[in-house]
Amino acid sequence: MVFDLKLQSISELAELQQLAAHADKPVYIANEDDQIRVDARSFLGLFALDYSRPLKVITDSLYVMRMLEIRQRALEDAMARA
């Protein structure tokens, strides 16, 4: 499963890394064209990506996908209220 993601801050990156660390299956983050793919649990590996562009979260973990969907919905609600 693939989830498109745009991170806005280092704290969001840290949250994603923590989510991956607690996942029941591997979680990878890749750039748009999938040339660079890193293990989301590796904090050093995460610095290989360009966060000014959208990324892809790749995992078979239903837990991670659900948490990302909840996060996305909360962001959309916050933007709608602003």
Side-chain angles (χ1 to χ4, degrees):
M1 295 178 275
V2 177
F3 188 90
D4 294 322
L5 180 70
K6 177 73 169 114
L7 297 174
Q8 303 296 327
S9 68
I10 293 292
S11 64
E12 289 179 3
L13 176 61
E15 288 174 16
L16 180 59
Q17 191 265 340
Q18 286 294 315
L19 180 61
H22 293 96
D24 56 334
K25 297 190 177 170
V27 179
Y28 301 97
I29 302 177
N31 59 355
E32 288 179 300
D33 56 7
D34 214 11
Q35 286 186 337
I36 300 174
R37 182 183 290 196
V38 299
D39 184 340
R41 294 173 296 172
S42 168
F43 201 71
L44 286 176
L46 294 175
F47 286 104
L49 297 166
D50 178 6
Y51 294 98
S52 66
R53 305 188 51 96
L55 301 170
K56 298 187 293 186
V57 177
I58 304 162
T59 186
D60 287 330
S61 172
L62 295 176
Y63 168 73
V64 170
M65 294 304 288
R66 183 69 179 134
M67 294 303 291
L68 291 173
E69 289 170 358
I70 290 169
R71 175 191 172 274
Q72 184 66 30
R73 207 168 288 131
L75 289 173
E76 289 170 359
D77 288 347
M79 291 190 74
R81 284 180 284 194

